Amino acid sequence: MRVFVAGAAGAIGQRLVPQLVTRGHEVVATTRSPEKIERLRALGAEPATMDGLNASEVGEAVARARPDVVVHQMTALAQMSDLRHFDRGFALTNELRTKGTDYLLTAAQAAGARRFIAQSYTGWPNIRQGGAVKTEDDPLDPHPPAQQSQSLAAIRYVEQAVLEAPLTGIVLRYGSFYGPGASEQMFELVRKRKLPIIGSGGGIWSWIHVDDAAAATVAAVESGADGVYNIVDDEPAPLADWLPYLAEVIGAKPPRRLPVWLARLAAGEVVVSIMTSIRGSSNAKAKRELGWQPTWSTWRDGFRYGLADGDADAQSRSPEHSAA
Ligand SMILES: NC(=O)c1ccc[n+]([C@@H]2O[C@H](COP(=O)([O-])OP(=O)(O)OC[C@H]3O[C@@H](n4cnc5c(N)ncnc54)[C@H](OP(=O)(O)O)[C@@H]3O)[C@@H](O)[C@H]2O)c1
């Protein structure tokens, strides 16, 4: 198939393009930066330049590509650091999830694409009441922290727009990425002990290796009915479990601990929420309906063996894989 990947040079795109090419798809891959064109070509794609927030550029790029499938992987999170002002840091990403989705959906339909896949996120958007692990049928958070309300609205927007569009619309709610090119920013915070355990550290995180997220996207390009799918590993886990483990694995000192009241003052409500009260997500539907399985079924192996590039070798060194 001809697959148009909007935002192909980012953390997910650069792992997705080679997997699509290996599966025999013709890939048109976009960036805004002329200097990334050769990188996209080296991944096996036909490069295209477009600004996802410029309707005519999007329309022209998609029309030229004449894709069967369009994949929306545009975010603007490379500079995201200020979790206190979450919505401010997500403002461009939110535009890409609203206006950017509209432009791309319009262009996809005009070009006759049959399938549209969009990136969403699972973790902090889940309702923070009831069980620790949520499915796609559970509601999103009706009362997010004030500083996340615009970002949650943008997630609701992209999901609804894709599901309502008159083509096969698939929303992939990726968990928190890690892996080559996807987790350095966060791991640096752990190295610098800037990521503390707040309160009991009971916020449940769902992780996903970026190569597994890419594989799920390939599965959604090739099959799967309209709908929302959580793309996460098999082990949602509280911060109090994964953070000390990650610190040990990357050779950092153990994380500091902070009481909730102090964290609220120092870092704000969003940080307190993601460290103490968010819920995790189940991947049962994606396994069942996309025929996908995460290779890194738990972050325990992924953090230890799956962080370097060329992790096919690393995978074979992990205990689980050598036992297999
Ligand atoms: N689920 C998750 O946990 C999740 C999801 C997304 C990102 N992240 C994290 O956020 C960090 C940054 O992500 P990233 O490396 O993917 O970078 P990013 O800055 O978020 O960019 C992602 C892609 O979006 C494209 N893009 C951005 N603005 C655009 C626009 N106006 N028009 C068209 N395309 C646009 C970029 O293209 P250009 O080549 O033009 O820059 C790039 O290909 C990484 O650590 C990543 O792991 C996490």
Side-chain angles (χ1 to χ4, degrees):
M1 278 185 286
R2 278 183 73 75
V3 184
F4 184 92
V5 182
I12 177 74
Q14 62 191 350
R15 312 301 287 189
L16 170 64
V17 170
Q19 290 194 30
L20 287 167
V21 171
T22 300
R23 293 281 298 170
H25 300 296
E26 286 171 35
V27 180
V28 176
T30 83
T31 177
R32 287 161 304 169
S33 321
E35 64 272 20
K36 291 187 194 161
I37 282 181
E38 285 315 313
R39 202 196 300 170
L40 293 176
R41 211 188 301 282
L43 296 177
E46 192 185 309
T49 49
M50 114 190 159
D51 178 350
L53 296 175
N54 180 317
S56 57
E57 285 188 23
V58 174
E60 282 165 28
V62 177
R64 254 196 309 274
R66 288 186 296 106
D68 303 299
V69 184
V70 172
V71 185
H72 179 349
Q73 297 289 12
M74 297 181 292
T75 54
L77 296 172
Q79 309 305 324
M80 179 69 193
S81 58
D82 181 6
L83 292 177
R84 179 189 283 276
H85 301 106
F86 194 92
D87 281 340
R88 198 188 292 167
F90 263 70
L92 257 184
T93 298
N94 294 342
E95 266 200 84
L96 289 162
R97 288 182 167 154
T98 51
K99 258 195 225 166
T101 301
D102 286 345
Y103 297 160
L104 204 50
L105 263 174
T106 302
Q109 289 165 77
R114 297 191 307 270
R115 190 174 270 272
F116 191 100
I117 295 159
Q119 174 183 155
S120 182
Y121 179 77
T122 191
W124 62 260
N126 283 331
I127 186 168
R128 293 173 296 159
Q129 283 164 4
V133 178
K134 305 300 184 190
T135 73
E136 295 82 349
D137 293 333
D138 285 303
L140 298 180
D141 195 348
H143 307 293
Q147 283 297 331
Q148 278 181 316
S149 59
Q150 290 168 20
S151 304
L152 187 57
I155 279 182
R156 288 183 191 277
Y157 188 97
V158 58
E159 295 194 349
Q160 193 175 342
V162 169
L163 295 179
E164 285 176 355
L167 37 60
T168 301
I170 293 192
V171 171
L172 298 178
R173 288 182 181 165
Y174 301 133
S176 293
F177 286 160
Y178 70 93
S183 38
E184 285 76 6
Q185 276 169 301
M186 182 170 212
F187 289 8
E188 194 52 27
L189 295 177
V190 177
R191 261 186 215 102
K192 292 183 173 155
R193 300 186 89 200
K194 286 189 172 170
L195 213 60
I197 296 177
I198 297 175
S200 64
I204 312 284
W205 287 53
S206 280
W207 289 97
I208 188 72
H209 191 286
V210 73
D211 286 343
D212 284 327
T217 313
V218 175
V221 162
E222 295 176 354
S223 69
D226 286 85
V228 175
Y229 300 84
N230 291 337
I231 307 300
V232 295
D233 77 7
D234 292 345
E235 197 185 347
L239 179 93
D241 284 356
W242 66 258
L243 181 53
Y245 179 90
L246 173 61
E248 184 223 306
V249 162
I250 63 176
K253 288 187 181 157
R256 298 174 201 279
R257 287 188 170 268
L258 269 190
V260 169
W261 69 266
L262 185 54
R264 188 168 279 122
L265 275 179
E269 195 56 40
V270 171
V271 171
V272 169
S273 171
I274 63 177
M275 303 295 199
T276 65
S277 59
I278 62 168
R279 301 302 205 263
S281 307
S282 159
N283 61 15
K285 181 181 177 190
K287 283 180 167 175
R288 196 174 60 236
E289 297 184 21
L290 296 178
W292 162 86
Q293 295 257 31
T295 302
W296 299 100
S297 58
T298 161
W299 46 271
R300 290 179 198 279
D301 289 341
F303 287 174
R304 204 173 277 279
Y305 303 105
L307 299 182
D309 213 346
D311 60 6
D313 290 347
Q315 245 165 283
S316 63
R317 288 198 299 275
S318 84
E320 188 184 309
H321 289 81
S322 35

